Amino acid sequence: MQASRARLFKEFKEVQRERSADPDIQLVCDDSNIFKWTALIKGPSETPYEGGVFQLAFAVPEQYPLQPPQVRFLTKIFHPNVHFKTGEICLDILKNAWSPAWTLQSVCRAIIALMAHPEPDSPLNCDSGNLLRSGDVRGYQSMARMYTRLAAMPKKG
Amino acid sequence: MDFDDDYYSGGEEEDQMLYTDDDTDAEDFDFIDNASDSSELALSNRHHVRNYTVLSESDIRQRQEDDITKISTVLSISKVAASILLRHYNWNVGKIHDEWFADEEKVRSTVGLLENPVMEYKDASEATCGICFDTYPSGEMLDAGCGHPFCSSCWAGYVSIAINDGPGCLLLRCPDPSCCAAVGQDMINLLASGEEKEKYCGYFTRSYIEDNRKTKWCPAPGCDYAVDFCGGRGGGGGYDVTCHCSCSFCWNCTEEAHRPVDCDTVAKWILKNCAESENMNWILANSKPCPKCKRPIEKNQGCMHMTCTPPCKYEFCWLCLGPWTDHGQTTGGFYACNRYEEAKADKEFQEAEQQREIIKNSLERYYHYYERWATNQSSRQKALADLQQMQTVHLEKLSDLQCQPESQLKFITEAWLQIVECRRVLKWTYAYGYYLPEEEKAKREFFEYLQGEAEAALERLHQCAEKELEVYLNVKDPETDFNCFRTKLSGLTSVTKTFFENLVKALENGLSDVNAHAASN
Ligand SMILES: [Zn+2]
Ligand SMILES: [Zn+2]
Ligand SMILES: [Zn+2]
Ligand SMILES: [Zn+2]
Ligand SMILES: [Zn+2]
Ligand SMILES: [Zn+2]
């Protein structure tokens, strides 16, 4: 508990100091609970998520960083490895391939990479996974783009 | 017929082992197994026939140690590195040799045995731990040989989580996600708690058995022995092995020993016995479907007035399946249903009735075999208990009563061992018989002939060992005819053994001698 708090505090200070280091990621710690974080990540360019801003919620376990944080999308996203209803993410580094050397920042980077490179063979969103597996890239892209526009873009006017 | 000459030419040490050693049971059973081995008869030296080895935990440790020493010597690497290699290669020493000398570089990188660190921190006075991000004097940091420094408390946490996560800890790597360096037993010893070390060692020992294609754990509950099987199916030995805990099992399918019946038949039979599928058939055979909701209704009373279970609650007549409300005056009264005759004329109903008969008959056939299979099973259990009783209590008593040294009473133990083994074989021949196609008339006849002869001999032997022996246990004076009894029991044992050998041989040959048998009749 103490170790995880100390480690999270280090990450917190690092985030404060390097605020502009990664313009695509904005990590924020909950005011009252250092084990709760949120992040805003920019959809990677040349993907259907481009132009969208997606919110992630982190729940950090007491054994962190020996155990991975739990992360889910708060913003609706159409992606083969994200559960459409719950925002749960299927990503190996958040499960058995976790390394305690990862940080919340590196988890965000890994999620951005996953947005750009979906893994249709381990789908949490079957519709999306099936579209990709059947080779209907355009179908997948248009659905993903539609949801990006609906859920992840600031409403104009 | 002298037993000792027949069976104990193997040597003195066997005789001594029979009654004094802890391994008594195992040795005895495996003796019987091999003695009934038709091809070699195993008379001169049964240990030459045995194609498996029972391993205790210390045997396993010793073998691991031997393999580790071998690999570390031949490859000139540390013992820790050798055990990492062996784990990765599922204890396949030959494969490690081949691949290492073909491409050492490649093996090293897949397994995570780095020759040089990928980075250096020891020269600097301080280093930052890659997990807690705190800074420590370099001397206090540890790495897995790769040079990625972590503090000892983070290491301990990392190792602890891995060990408590299961046997995957045997393949633990450096915490740095880009690094493949393996974490060896030296690190574990340094970092893990006593309890965790014990767990790790347990996984390590288990890996030798579970990752190795030649070894399996004994399936008996609570037994810690393993069996190393080195023979193929050939030689008529089959897969039956006997553990030191006295459990005999098939090494191939790990069901109880079932020679001469093959694994497929056993699997089919066990599935068949599985209560659920059988109960379904039983219900089918003993019930009729409710005419309204079609769920099976079991008739367990004499009365023909049936009421289906809720929520249906339909009331109908068992005989004609018509609604009970029609069974008033018009039908001649409730309990003298005259519609049965009418309905019998109804073709559809007749067919359903016929179908039920067929199922019933097939069940009766199954029950015939099942009953005999199960009876031999329980008879074997009883014989095992009797054998136990004989060895612990009765032999001593008998020795006093009859003024015979216990070594002269071996023929009794031999008889019981033969009974136990024959009950096992006989039991499985009933599973065999069930699956022997009805249309293969000649084979069936031959099989039933051999089985009948064997069974009759066994019953005589069992009766003699059980009933006649009792007489000698309850007398005061040494009986003069005890020697006659000895001759009789030894003779029956030998005769029974021969019958069962023939039966086993015939079944293992797929009853191919059937024509010779037919010709001689
Ligand atoms: Zn540390
Ligand atoms: Zn490393
Ligand atoms: Zn055992
Ligand atoms: Zn088997
Ligand atoms: Zn009903
Ligand atoms: Zn009726």
Side-chain angles (χ1 to χ4, degrees):
Chain A
M1 183 78 168
Q2 208 44 51
S4 54
R5 187 180 291 278
R7 157 76 184 252
L8 283 168
F9 189 62
K10 287 217 169 62
E11 289 194 42
F12 175 75
K13 282 195 293 188
E14 182 69 18
V15 165
Q16 301 294 90
R17 191 168 53 239
E18 301 278 331
R19 208 170 263 291
S20 53
D22 195 336
D24 295 337
I25 301 168
Q26 198 187 324
L27 258 170
V28 185
C29 176
D30 187 288
D31 283 340
S32 57
N33 184 353
I34 200 167
F35 292 93
K36 295 255 177 277
W37 293 61
T38 50
L40 293 173
I41 56 174
K42 285 189 185 156
S45 54
E46 286 164 54
T47 72
Y49 311 106
E50 183 170 5
V53 175
F54 297 82
Q55 195 176 17
L56 302 170
F58 287 78
V60 184
E62 285 178 14
Q63 298 253 50
Y64 181 81
L66 295 173
Q67 304 243 294
Q70 288 169 7
V71 196
R72 61 187 188 91
F73 274 90
L74 292 177
T75 310
K76 271 252 177 292
I77 178 169
F78 186 81
H79 185 283
N81 309 108
V82 182
H83 195 286
F84 190 67
K85 286 219 170 73
T86 64
E88 187 194 335
I89 303 166
C90 178
L91 181 58
D92 59 350
I93 69 142
L94 292 174
K95 299 189 170 95
N96 48 1
W98 170 253
S99 155
W102 294 97
T103 61
L104 300 183
Q105 186 87 15
S106 50
V107 169
C108 290
R109 274 196 290 272
I111 291 173
I112 292 173
L114 181 71
M115 289 165 84
H117 304 283
E119 303 265 0
D121 288 329
S122 57
L124 273 175
N125 179 339
C126 293
D127 291 342
S128 166
N130 288 343
L131 281 175
L132 270 185
R133 264 182 304 184
S134 66
D136 190 356
V137 179
R138 286 181 66 184
Y140 151 75
Q141 283 181 337
S142 67
M143 288 289 281
R145 204 174 292 120
M146 183 187 84
Y147 278 105
T148 304
R149 217 167 279 148
L150 279 176
M153 285 190 185
K155 308 263 184 302
K156 281 166 200 150
Chain B
M1 192 128 346
D2 191 339
F3 242 87
D4 292 358
D5 288 346
D6 266 335
Y7 293 92
Y8 282 98
S9 48
E12 287 302 309
E13 96 273 12
E14 298 301 340
D15 290 14
Q16 279 150 17
M17 279 175 88
L18 266 170
Y19 303 110
T20 55
D21 200 277
D22 281 343
D23 293 340
T24 298
D25 286 352
E27 290 294 328
D28 289 349
F29 290 129
D30 115 60
F31 160 64
I32 288 294
D33 266 330
N34 285 320
S36 62
D37 190 306
S38 51
S39 49
E40 283 95 345
L41 283 176
L43 290 181
S44 56
N45 193 341
R46 61 203 170 101
H47 283 243
H48 281 173
V49 184
R50 202 160 102 159
N51 51 3
Y52 64 92
T53 316
V54 179
L55 302 173
S56 71
E57 202 174 313
S58 66
D59 295 333
I60 297 167
R61 294 246 160 87
Q62 188 56 53
R63 282 177 170 224
Q64 290 184 303
E65 194 53 44
D66 293 348
D67 284 355
I68 291 168
T69 310
K70 208 182 301 167
I71 289 292
S72 112
T73 316
V74 177
L75 272 50
S76 313
I77 53 176
S78 73
K79 283 195 167 186
V80 171
S83 33
I84 291 171
L85 265 178
L86 281 158
R87 265 297 300 116
H88 270 270
Y89 281 84
N90 295 332
W91 298 91
N92 189 333
V93 174
K95 198 169 172 207
I96 295 176
H97 274 197
D98 295 349
E99 298 201 0
W100 183 272
F101 292 113
D103 192 346
E104 179 181 330
E105 199 77 358
K106 192 175 154 216
V107 173
R108 278 184 177 277
S109 69
T110 35
V111 169
L113 289 176
L114 309 189
E115 259 182 307
N116 298 303
V118 292
M119 63 177 271
E120 288 291 352
Y121 65 92
K122 295 274 183 200
D123 297 340
S125 64
E126 290 186 323
T128 301
C129 167
I131 294 176
C132 64
F133 298 167
D134 277 333
T135 308
Y136 294 88
S138 298
E140 290 175 23
M141 309 290 271
L142 294 165
D143 66 278
C146 51
H148 294 121
F150 301 96
C151 75
S152 58
S153 118
C154 285
W155 262 118
Y158 182 67
V159 162
S160 162
I161 284 199
I163 292 176
N164 288 306
D165 222 33
C169 63
L170 297 176
L171 300 171
L172 195 63
R173 309 256 188 182
C174 165
D176 187 291
S178 65
C179 180
C180 72
V183 177
Q185 197 143 16
D186 51 342
M187 293 284 276
I188 302 293
N189 286 336
L190 205 62
L191 296 159
S193 72
E195 199 185 317
E196 286 161 0
K197 270 183 236 176
E198 218 166 277
K199 243 185 184 171
Y200 186 91
C201 283
Y203 289 137
F204 191 73
T205 314
R206 269 171 50 185
S207 87
Y208 184 84
I209 301 302
E210 287 161 26
D211 301 332
N212 200 325
R213 295 227 320 279
K214 306 200 290 89
T215 53
K216 275 176 191 170
W217 292 111
C218 166
C223 176
D224 291 329
Y225 288 109
V227 173
D228 180 5
F229 190 82
C230 18
R233 176 81 223 227
Y239 289 114
D240 284 4
V241 300
T242 302
C243 176
H244 285 340
C245 75
S246 91
C247 166
S248 290
F249 66 98
C250 168
W251 192 86
N252 191 42
C253 69
T254 65
E255 288 296 341
E256 57 173 310
H258 55 71
R259 193 169 171 239
V261 180
D262 63 59
C263 298
D264 287 348
T265 306
V266 169
K268 259 197 298 187
W269 178 253
I270 286 169
L271 205 64
K272 176 98 187 146
N273 290 350
C274 188
E276 234 145 32
S277 65
E278 225 30 75
N279 283 344
M280 273 313 293
N281 283 345
W282 185 239
I283 286 169
L284 265 178
N286 288 276
S287 67
K288 301 182 183 187
C290 163
K292 198 172 172 198
C293 72
K294 307 298 177 210
R295 283 181 305 164
I297 306 285
E298 203 158 341
K299 183 177 181 340
N300 44 21
Q301 289 166 324
C303 157
M304 299 302 160
H305 179 180
M306 306 302 295
T307 306
C308 184
T309 49
C312 171
K313 291 194 204 160
Y314 182 64
E315 292 181 50
F316 63 98
C317 167
W318 177 258
L319 293 174
C320 65
L321 299 178
W324 194 252
T325 46
D326 288 352
H327 285 59
Q329 307 301 347
T330 50
T331 52
F334 280 43
Y335 297 103
C337 175
N338 58 356
R339 285 188 57 195
Y340 186 52
E341 287 307 312
E342 280 173 47
K344 268 211 128 154
D346 177 18
K347 195 165 166 270
E348 206 177 318
F349 179 74
Q350 234 172 8
E351 273 169 9
E353 201 58 6
Q354 255 169 20
Q355 182 64 28
R356 250 191 299 281
E357 272 308 301
I358 292 168
I359 293 170
K360 215 167 195 164
N361 286 341
S362 86
L363 262 190
E364 267 164 24
R365 182 171 175 271
Y366 166 67
Y367 269 100
H368 169 89
Y369 288 94
Y370 180 77
E371 197 183 1
R372 280 151 185 79
W373 180 83
T375 309
N376 274 293
Q377 159 80 0
S378 50
S379 175
R380 180 174 183 273
Q381 290 313 114
K382 175 77 171 44
L384 264 174
D386 287 348
L387 168 66
Q388 187 77 26
Q389 176 82 349
M390 192 62 61
Q391 284 176 316
T392 51
V393 185
H394 288 166
L395 282 183
E396 203 183 329
K397 190 177 166 195
L398 199 62
S399 162
D400 290 346
L401 279 171
Q402 302 295 334
C403 303
Q404 303 255 4
E406 277 195 47
S407 61
Q408 297 284 303
L409 299 174
K410 272 191 307 222
F411 72 97
I412 296 172
T413 313
E414 290 311 328
W416 279 103
L417 286 170
Q418 191 69 56
I419 292 167
V420 167
E421 168 65 4
C422 290
R423 287 291 172 203
R424 189 190 65 71
V425 172
L426 188 58
K427 170 179 118 170
W428 285 111
T429 61
Y430 278 104
Y432 183 94
Y434 179 75
Y435 290 108
L436 193 56
E438 303 247 31
E439 56 284 6
E440 298 205 46
K441 276 210 159 50
K443 274 195 177 178
R444 282 208 74 89
E445 231 168 69
F446 182 41
F447 163 68
E448 277 162 9
Y449 164 76
L450 290 171
Q451 191 190 38
E453 294 280 291
E455 185 157 11
L458 176 57
E459 294 308 334
R460 283 197 300 274
L461 171 64
H462 206 154
Q463 157 126 2
C464 181
E466 204 166 53
K467 303 270 151 48
E468 293 182 33
L469 182 64
E470 211 157 277
V471 178
Y472 300 97
L473 275 166
N474 295 317
V475 288
K476 291 270 174 319
D477 303 317
E479 289 280 322
T480 44
D481 58 353
F482 186 73
N483 278 333
C484 297
F485 171 72
R486 176 202 306 277
T487 312
K488 183 176 178 189
L489 190 63
S490 305
L492 285 174
T493 306
S494 165
V495 165
T496 308
K497 177 171 172 285
T498 308
F499 275 121
F500 273 83
E501 273 170 14
N502 289 340
L503 178 62
V504 165
K505 209 186 320 181
L507 296 199
E508 283 185 340
N509 291 339
L511 296 171
S512 55
D513 289 336
V514 60
N515 295 329
H517 167 75
S520 70
N521 275 8

